[in-house]
Amino acid sequence: MARFWILSAGMGSERQLLECIDISSPDVKSLALQLRKACLETGFFYVINHGIGEAFMEEVFNQTRKFFKLPLEEKTKVLQDKRNRGYTPYSEEKLDPVKQIAGDSKEGYYIGLEIPETDPRANEPYQGPNQWPSPELLPGWRQTMEKYFQEVENLSRRLIKLIAISLDLDETFFDKPGMFDHPMALLRLLHYPAGVTNPEKGEFGAGAHSDYGMLTLLATDSVPGLQICKEKDAKQQVWEDLQPIKGAFIVNLGDMLERWTNNLYRSTLHRVLNHGEERYSIPFFMEPNFDCIVECLPTCCSPSNPPKYPPIKSGDHLTYRYQITHKGLDANAKESVPQPVH
C-alpha cells in the first residue's frame, strides 16, 4: 500500500500521509480496506495505474489550454446555459461567500453527457446537448473531451463499486435502476491565472468549500495550489498543501456521500490559492440520477446510531447548492431541501 506526503501550510516540516490507491491491483479486499481508511480519515486519496494513458491526458490538457487562450469574445459565445453546460467567466462563482471579497479567480467550462434535443431525457434537469466551441477554431476539441469524459466516467464507476465494498455492501449496490444508470456527471475544465491570491484579504483561486455530490476525480498539472482542511468545523483551521503526482488522480468525496453514509465518510473542506503561475485542473463530478433518493445506507445506521438526515432527491440537493454559489443559474429544485437532523 502506497502513501504520499501532504505538507501543512505554514507549519514548517510537519507532515501527514494521504493514501495512494493502485486500482490495478487484483486484491480487491485490500483496496477496499485502504479506501475505507482514506474515506474515514480525510475523504481524499490518490488513484494511480488507472488505465488512462499519460499521452492522452497530455492531449486533454493541451486542448484545455487552447480553449482558454481564445479571445473572450469567442469564449462567451458558449456561455453557461440553464443545463449547466459551457463557459463560466472569472468571478462567476463564489464558493466561500462569507470570507471572499470577490468571486473565484478562475474561469471554467462545463461538459456533461451529450444527449440530443430529440432524446426525451433532454427534458430532464441538467441533461441535454453540450455547447461546443467552433470546430474551425479548435479542430478535434470536442472529440478529445467526449473521449475523456467516457474514460473518466468508467473509472468513476470502478471506484463506486470499491466504495460499496468498503461499506460492507454488495459491489453492485449502486448499480440498481434509478441510481447511476443516468447520472448527472459533469466534467469541468478550469484555468487559474498567473496572479497571486491572498487568503488573509479574502482572495482565492477557489474559495473554501466541500464538493456537493458523490465523488470527484481531479486531474491536475504540475502546479501546486490545492489545499485541504481535515477539520472543517474547527475554530482554528489548519490548511495543508496537496501536492500533484504525475499521472495520478486526486479523488475526494462529496457532501452527498457523507450524507448517504450518515457522516461516516468525510467530505473535506478544500480551496485553491494562486501562487503566481498559471494552473490548469480538470475535475470530473460523478453524481447519481436526478431523482435518486439519497437516504442513510443500511450499513451506516443502527438503533444507537439512527439516520441524521431525512431522505432527499439527489438533484434537489445539487440544485440548492448550485444556486448558492453560481450567479443566475436558471434551474429550480423540484421541492424544498430538508435540513439535517442534529
Side-chain angles (χ1 to χ4, degrees), residues 9-51:
M11 298 290 286
S13 61
E14 183 180 344
R15 299 187 291 184
Q16 299 188 27
L17 293 168
L18 202 65
E19 298 292 334
C20 185
I21 295 175
D22 181 352
I23 201 168
S24 68
S25 169
D27 189 349
V28 175
K29 184 177 179 180
S30 292
L31 287 180
L33 288 172
Q34 187 185 10
L35 184 141
R36 182 180 177 89
K37 186 175 187 296
C39 294
L40 291 171
E41 290 181 351
T42 64
F44 266 81
F45 52 92
Y46 297 102
V47 171
I48 60 172
N49 296 329
H50 41 71

Side-chain angles (χ1 to χ4, degrees), residues 43-44 95 208-216 232-233 252-270 285-288 294-295 309-310 312 314 317-318 320-322 324-325 340:
F44 266 81
L95 286 167
H209 66 287
S210 54
D211 286 353
Y212 312 149
M214 171 80 169
L215 193 66
T216 304
K232 59 185 173 185
D233 297 322
N252 67 280
L253 313 182
D255 298 339
M256 198 179 299
L257 186 57
E258 185 175 78
R259 183 181 186 123
W260 234 331
T261 62
N262 212 24
N263 290 355
L264 177 68
Y265 281 2
R266 304 183 59 182
S267 175
T268 297
L269 205 61
H270 51 285
F285 305 99
M286 185 61 165
E287 325 295 16
V294 177
E295 57 186 332
Y309 303 90
I312 186 174
S314 166
H317 168 81
L318 289 177
Y320 174 73
R321 297 295 301 274
Y322 286 151
I324 291 173
T325 56

Side-chain angles (χ1 to χ4, degrees), residues 94-273:
K94 186 184 282 189
L95 286 167
D96 188 1
V98 174
K99 293 184 180 178
Q100 287 183 251
I101 60 170
D104 292 350
S105 181
K106 70 176 189 299
E107 56 182 338
Y109 195 96
Y110 279 114
I111 300 169
L113 182 66
E114 181 69 23
I115 298 175
E117 289 278 13
T118 54
D119 190 314
R121 294 177 300 166
N123 297 318
E124 298 177 10
Y126 306 122
Q127 303 292 356
N130 285 294
Q131 299 195 80
W132 299 107
S134 164
E136 285 74 29
L137 285 174
L138 297 175
W141 198 88
R142 172 176 176 172
Q143 290 79 2
T144 298
M145 296 306 166
E146 287 187 319
K147 180 183 177 184
Y148 180 67
F149 187 103
Q150 185 61 61
E151 292 206 15
V152 76
E153 180 186 347
N154 291 341
L155 176 58
S156 299
R157 292 184 183 278
R158 291 169 64 191
L159 287 170
I160 288 172
K161 288 182 183 295
L162 205 57
I163 288 170
I165 297 169
S166 77
L167 291 165
D168 297 320
L169 299 166
D170 187 89
E171 72 169 359
T172 62
F173 180 88
F174 293 108
D175 294 341
K176 295 173 184 174
M179 297 190 84
F180 283 91
D181 46 0
H182 191 200
M184 294 182 293
L186 274 177
L187 182 66
R188 195 176 190 195
L189 317 177
L190 292 172
H191 169 228
Y192 297 87
V196 176
T197 53
N198 185 343
E200 301 303 318
K201 295 181 179 179
E203 301 169 349
F204 300 89
H209 66 287
S210 54
D211 286 353
Y212 312 149
M214 171 80 169
L215 193 66
T216 304
L217 283 72
L218 177 72
T220 185
D221 62 15
S222 60
V223 179
L226 178 63
Q227 296 183 325
I228 66 172
C229 173
K230 290 188 287 187
E231 300 297 334
K232 59 185 173 185
D233 297 322
K235 267 190 174 182
Q236 195 70 28
Q237 292 179 337
V238 176
W239 289 95
E240 299 170 293
D241 294 311
L242 196 55
Q243 301 300 321
I245 298 175
K246 185 173 177 60
F249 281 96
I250 300 170
V251 180
N252 67 280
L253 313 182
D255 298 339
M256 198 179 299
L257 186 57
E258 185 175 78
R259 183 181 186 123
W260 234 331
T261 62
N262 212 24
N263 290 355
L264 177 68
Y265 281 2
R266 304 183 59 182
S267 175
T268 297
L269 205 61
H270 51 285
R271 68 185 188 184
V272 174
L273 301 184

